[in-house]
Amino acid sequence: MTGGRLRPHGLFQKYFLVLFLAVVIPLTANGLSEAWFGYRDQRARLDQLLGVEARSAAARIQGFLDGITGQLGWLVQLPWTEEPDERRRIDALRLLRQVPAIVSLTLVDGTGRERLYVSRVGLNRTESRTDRSTEAPVTGARSARIWYSEVSYYRGSEPYLTVAISGNRPSVGVVVAEVNLKLIWDVISAIRVGETGFAFVMDRPSRLVAHPDISLVLRGSDEATLAPFQAARQAVQSANTGFVTSRDAEGSHIAVAAAPIAGPDWTVVVEQPLSEAFGPIYAALWRTAALLLGGAAFASLLAFALARRMTEPIRLLEEGTERIGAGQFEHRIEIRTGDELQRLADSFNAMVAELALSQERQERIAKLRRFLAPQVAQLVDHVGDDTLLEGHRTEVVVVFCDLRGFTAFSARATPEEVMSVLSEYYEALGHIITKYAATLTSFSGDGLMVLVNAPVPVAEPALRAVDLAVEMQRSVQELIVDWQTRGHRIGFGVGLAMGPATVGRIGYESRFDYTAIGSVVNLAARLCAAAADREILTDAAVADVVKDKCSLIPLGPRAIKGYEDELPVFSILFESRSDAA
């Protein structure tokens, strides 16, 4: 025993490491989980924020355009006459004053001829009668009532949009307006997401229509300028859900969301730098890292103090166990730490008194051997108590077997012959049951019920039960050959099924039996009743486990008594010893 003594130095290191990890691992797990859930929550909030801002901006720009189209609609209410219409000219000039975004207005009559042109930057015209019926704004407005052009850039810089509206009747004509989109800048520049996030608008060909930095818009369709904005729009349109990540002109990562503007087919894109969007998460990670460092330092001090305190009591415990193991039952371990170590020492001291009760326990185990299967009693003896026999639920394989034609045989045979056949029968099966560590729970007449995997757990219970059933058939078939020479017509069938069951001992104080209760027991009994001579029937659960390890014949669904639906049944092929010879 001296050579196997724990060294205090090694024991100290072990406890120090365990106690240290006991503090650091939960702190690390908590920090990682908080970071993950915080990231997920922040991502959901960012998705909601960017989506709301994008939809809000789209709605305001849509309102801006709807306001213009609503004003233009008043100019196409009445049909034209051949005479100049002074009132329309006054209404058009008034509209220019009311809507600063409109640069020019062109009114075309029902025949497609220009009747009025007013402009902020050009000369006004009246009754020019120029034919504009084939121009895109006129044809587009007549087919869709409201027509929007592609964004154009005046002198390659300022963005313009042409809007054309037709009246409810062809005779009232069409009004065509040139709209300066620089005024949308007021809407876009008011949008702020966090500290540095903003929004911008792009048309169908992915050119800038509005941006808080108006100089970017005034650069027109410069590809170098538009590239990062086009990439952001393409990323969010490809994802088609929530926000996505992209890169801005400086190459920094950004979060992007978008919303459509239906009329001119524009897109409002809202972006925010990821460094700002996930700023709270980064701060939380730094706090977590600081907490981990502090926790690690605290854990080191705590583990050092506790490990030192535990080393000496454990050494005393080790010495005490050696002396008690050597038979010095008068020895007592004295530890006064007021904790679990002291209670452990008291338990060792109580162990000496418990030894006096061991003989009584052994006698009780001997009584159990009289009614339990040998391996069950042996297991109870090994563990020192019979708690494993208490009721619990577990996976078992139930094997039923009985003799075919035994009732008729027992009716005509002498009692001595009946008992002789049963004695040979049970002697053969008893050795096989013990060999495969199975549990014989009950026998009645010529029938047996055997459990595999309870209470003694075994490896591959299904395969072991199949091997058990096959060896049963082989042994009994050899007996049947002898019985037939004596004029007895007896057969032997086996049924087995696997599934969960409630297992445990039942009975009263002076008599207990170990058994299983559940539908799997009923199924195995039904399969046994359906099995003919030399036949082993099993359910699908056993067949599925052993299908690659033994020969099976699917018998198809069969009606089983006690079950509403037909169940698949399989026959296990085996080769008797006489066949093998």
Side-chain angles (χ1 to χ4, degrees):
M1 295 294 292
T2 305
R5 184 186 303 275
L6 293 175
R7 294 178 301 167
H9 179 69
L11 190 63
F12 176 84
Q13 289 180 337
K14 181 193 298 182
Y15 280 111
F16 178 85
L17 181 62
V18 170
L19 294 172
F20 176 80
L21 293 178
V23 176
V24 171
I25 289 179
L27 285 176
T28 303
N30 179 71
L32 293 176
S33 63
E34 288 294 331
W36 164 246
F37 287 114
Y39 167 79
R40 190 176 64 176
D41 294 342
Q42 182 65 18
R43 188 178 180 89
R45 287 193 293 268
L46 180 61
D47 184 51
Q48 182 180 21
L49 173 63
L50 294 179
V52 168
E53 291 292 347
R55 291 189 293 272
S56 174
R60 286 194 285 178
I61 293 173
Q62 186 71 60
F64 168 78
L65 295 175
D66 290 345
I68 292 177
T69 57
Q71 293 286 351
L72 293 175
W74 289 104
L75 296 179
V76 286
Q77 297 292 321
L78 300 174
W80 288 88
T81 64
E82 289 300 322
E83 300 298 326
D85 194 335
E86 182 63 21
R87 182 174 179 179
R88 288 185 193 263
R89 188 181 69 84
I90 294 173
D91 289 341
L93 293 174
R94 183 183 298 114
L95 182 58
L96 287 180
R97 290 195 298 270
Q98 291 175 347
V99 184
I102 297 177
V103 178
S104 66
L105 292 170
T106 302
L107 278 71
V108 179
D109 62 16
T111 64
R113 298 186 179 278
E114 180 186 305
R115 300 294 296 274
L116 177 65
Y117 173 79
V118 293
S119 174
R120 298 181 188 276
V121 296
L123 298 176
N124 298 339
R125 298 189 299 269
T126 303
E127 299 296 333
S128 68
R129 306 283 179 154
T130 302
D131 185 8
R132 301 191 181 277
S133 60
T134 59
E135 295 181 359
V138 176
T139 58
R142 284 177 174 174
S143 63
R145 190 171 182 277
I146 300 178
W147 176 86
Y148 296 93
S149 71
E150 298 287 351
V151 175
S152 60
Y153 292 86
Y154 180 70
R155 295 179 181 175
S157 57
E158 296 183 9
Y160 277 76
L161 175 70
T162 301
V163 181
I165 300 177
S166 66
N168 293 329
R169 294 169 293 170
S171 60
V172 300
V174 176
V175 59
V176 181
E178 294 288 335
V179 181
N180 190 333
L181 298 179
K182 284 178 24 178
L183 298 181
I184 298 179
W185 179 83
D186 294 332
V187 176
I188 292 300
S189 61
I191 298 174
R192 281 289 180 269
V193 183
E195 296 293 330
T196 59
F198 59 88
F200 57 89
V201 181
M202 305 194 78
D203 63 4
R204 189 185 307 112
S206 296
R207 295 176 299 179
L208 275 178
V209 175
H211 190 282
D213 185 357
I214 197 170
S215 64
L216 297 177
V217 179
L218 297 181
R219 293 177 192 175
S221 56
D222 178 62
E223 289 298 329
T225 302
L226 295 178
F229 302 107
Q230 292 173 344
R233 181 187 184 186
Q234 181 64 32
V236 74
Q237 287 180 339
S238 300
N240 199 28
T241 175
F243 78 90
V244 298
T245 58
S246 184
R247 292 180 181 270
D248 59 14
E250 287 75 28
S252 301
H253 289 281
I254 55 175
V256 183
I261 301 174
D265 194 16
W266 295 347
T267 303
V268 175
V269 182
V270 178
E271 69 173 56
Q272 185 182 21
L274 283 181
S275 58
E276 179 185 342
F278 291 131
I281 298 300
Y282 299 149
L285 290 176
W286 281 112
R287 290 194 300 270
T288 300
L291 178 63
L292 286 175
L293 290 176
F298 172 76
S300 298
L301 295 175
L302 180 64
F304 181 82
L306 291 177
R308 289 194 62 180
R309 183 179 180 183
M310 293 174 67
T311 301
E312 182 61 22
I314 290 178
R315 185 186 64 79
L316 294 175
L317 285 171
E318 181 187 12
E319 292 180 354
T321 56
E322 290 179 352
R323 296 181 65 177
I324 292 173
Q328 301 178 20
F329 300 127
E330 73 282 358
H331 177 71
R332 295 294 181 269
I333 301 174
E334 298 295 334
I335 296 178
R336 294 292 179 264
T337 58
D339 53 18
E340 287 79 358
L341 291 173
Q342 180 177 337
R343 291 198 296 270
L344 181 60
D346 294 339
S347 298
F348 273 109
N349 295 332
M351 182 180 63
V352 178
E354 290 290 332
L355 292 176
L357 302 177
S358 61
Q359 184 64 33
E360 180 182 350
R361 180 178 296 129
Q362 291 298 323
E363 293 177 357
R364 180 166 57 87
I365 296 300
K367 293 179 181 179
L368 288 175
R369 288 178 178 269
R370 292 185 297 175
F371 60 87
L372 289 180
Q375 66 273 21
V376 177
Q378 182 180 358
L379 180 62
V380 174
D381 191 7
H382 177 71
V383 299
D385 62 56
D386 55 354
T387 56
L388 79 164
L389 301 179
E390 300 297 334
H392 65 282
R393 195 151 181 87
T394 188
E395 185 91 2
V396 297
V397 182
V398 183
V399 181
F400 275 85
C401 61
D402 61 9
L403 295 173
R404 299 291 175 262
F406 182 80
T407 302
F409 157 73
S410 62
R412 64 174 180 269
T414 64
E416 293 78 7
E417 188 65 17
V418 172
M419 297 307 295
S420 174
V421 167
L422 287 179
S423 177
E424 295 171 357
Y425 172 69
Y426 285 124
E427 182 71 16
L429 294 186
H431 288 300
I432 298 173
I433 293 171
T434 302
K435 172 184 176 181
Y436 285 91
T439 301
L440 175 62
T441 62
S442 65
F443 59 90
S444 176
D446 62 320
L448 296 180
M449 173 180 168
V450 179
L451 293 183
V452 178
N453 205 45
V456 183
V458 297
E460 299 185 307
L463 183 59
R464 180 173 294 214
V466 170
D467 293 340
L468 167 70
V470 168
E471 188 158 345
M472 281 181 168
Q473 271 287 8
R474 289 173 175 167
S475 296
V476 175
Q477 289 302 325
E478 292 178 358
L479 293 176
I480 290 174
V481 173
D482 180 60
W483 295 339
Q484 288 176 346
T485 63
R486 289 147 59 181
H488 306 321
R489 299 175 60 185
I490 302 175
F492 180 67
V494 182
L496 60 155
M498 182 172 69
T502 300
V503 298
R505 60 182 176 182
I506 58 174
Y508 54 95
E509 182 176 358
S510 60
R511 173 66 183 182
F512 288 99
D513 284 324
Y514 188 83
T515 190
I517 301 173
S519 62
V520 67
V521 179
N522 298 329
L523 179 56
R526 299 291 186 265
L527 291 173
C528 176
D533 180 33
R534 297 179 59 88
E535 195 170 33
I536 303 173
L537 298 184
T538 184
D539 67 340
V542 174
D544 186 58
V545 175
V546 304
K547 60 185 178 182
D548 297 328
K549 301 177 181 178
C550 66
S551 299
L552 296 173
I553 298 178
L555 302 180
R558 287 192 178 182
I560 304 296
K561 183 178 179 181
Y563 293 84
E564 296 181 359
D565 300 325
E566 293 185 343
L567 301 178
V569 177
F570 298 81
S571 175
I572 299 174
L573 294 179
F574 70 97
E575 185 178 8
S576 64
R577 295 186 180 94
S578 60
D579 294 337

